Amino acid sequence: MSKEFKTIEEQLSILEKRGLKIEDKEIARDFLLLNNYYRISGYSLTLREHDIFYENVKFQNIIDIYNFDYELRHILLKYIEKIEVSFKSVYAHFFSEMYGKLEYRKSINFTDPTKHLKLIKKVDELANKNIEFESCLKHYAIDLKEEYPMWVFIELFTISDISKMYRISKNELKEKVAFKFNYKMSNGYEFLEKHMHSITIIRNLCAHNSRLYNRLFVSKPNLNSKEKQFLNRDENGEYDNSHLFGFIMIMRRLLERKDFIDLKKDIIELTHKYPFVSLKYYGFGPNWNDL
């Protein structure tokens, strides 16, 4: 049976009939109108069993969870940007040092020519669209009439682009980049490939306003045995690597130490701002901040 359109008043009535306490109807009306009933419903899953809310659950509790998740996404984006900038810089430096400033255009320097050409074409199209607005692009293309050197071209890459380029790079280059990010084991670049893919997943969810609260990830972060010790365990004693916390562990690897400490502080401050929200629904253990 298809769902029929419901007015804001009808939506409020449904929520009240399901046991939700709505103390300020005006705030609730505005919140529903501006944020979409069905988007909001995902943030209330931990507050109800099926469609019936637990005793004493308030509409404000849903607002707090929603706002916490919103602010957390923006915190994560701030630090993911640091990872993206540093990774692109390190990659461009070692690539140019090893091959030359324009050799990124040659498929021979990569392990998958088809993927390489597709990626270069995509970024070329982006460069052509932005040439009038980016002085650096204009300087090389119009003033100097030269190809963009690697360290200029790479600034057009998204974190997904650089992750893909790293994956199809040759092992000698990948090892140099991995070593710089303290992946010093023999197969460190394989871990780094997977970790950059995981960071891309989180970045895309944050950038597109997707819910992180109580989200179960199908693509789980690749953690070593030591890192897994910080994960929660389920009722069967298995490590819970399906929530956000595993991705925070990867950010811990890729960020400068001082930046990771700042990330921790930002999350702690957020928990103080919204004390109702439990980090366990993001996979954080009770002693997570002792990392």
Side-chain angles (χ1 to χ4, degrees), residues 19-31:
L20 183 65
K21 299 187 183 310
I22 304 175
E23 297 173 318
D24 190 318
K25 291 284 182 72
E26 195 59 38
I27 289 176
R29 287 188 192 97
D30 285 345
F31 192 78

Side-chain angles (χ1 to χ4, degrees), residues 181-193:
F181 284 95
N182 292 313
Y183 288 73
K184 297 180 178 179
M185 62 287 266
S186 59
N187 63 336
Y189 65 86
E190 294 177 357
F191 274 88
L192 183 52
E193 282 180 12

